[in-house]
Amino acid sequence: MPDSQALTGAALAHIKADEFMPDEERGHAEAAVREDESEALAYLVDPTDLVVDIPGVELAQASWSSEPVEYDPESMEWDIDEEDGDFDEEPDNA
């Protein structure tokens, strides 16, 4: 699957470029990224970057969890314009 290969490749490049990562940790990180796409994603997304611009917020701890799912563009679950669980449904006025 090309997308997963791109994700894994980007994560491996990110790990290789990290000059502060100890060699022992680097080997473990590379193995984890090759084995699990969620690990690859975790190496590419810095949780601090997600909250750095929010006044009064300081990241104390972060963890990741993910699972593969099939994308269905017709499903309301994939409507990125809606908030979780809040779909445009007509109210039942009966």
Side-chain angles (χ1 to χ4, degrees):
M1 171 179 246
D3 292 336
S4 64
Q5 291 173 352
L7 175 65
T8 301
L12 290 171
H14 181 77
I15 291 167
K16 184 177 181 178
D18 186 345
E19 62 188 50
F20 299 108
M21 184 180 290
D23 288 338
E24 183 177 311
E25 184 180 336
R26 187 180 318 277
H28 174 73
E30 289 171 344
V33 162
R34 285 188 180 99
E35 190 173 306
D36 186 352
E37 292 172 3
S38 63
E39 289 289 334
L41 182 61
Y43 276 97
L44 292 173
V45 178
D46 183 352
T48 305
D49 290 342
L50 300 174
V51 298
V52 70
D53 293 330
I54 302 173
V57 174
E58 182 178 330
L59 184 65
Q61 182 178 353
S63 65
W64 293 105
S65 176
S66 69
E67 65 182 83
V69 296
E70 292 296 321
Y71 174 64
D72 177 4
E74 300 299 317
S75 173
M76 291 182 72
E77 292 179 21
W78 291 99
D79 188 353
I80 60 173
D81 293 328
E82 298 295 326
E83 293 189 26
D84 290 343
D86 186 22
F87 302 107
D88 284 341
E89 294 179 7
E90 294 296 318
D92 187 9
N93 294 330

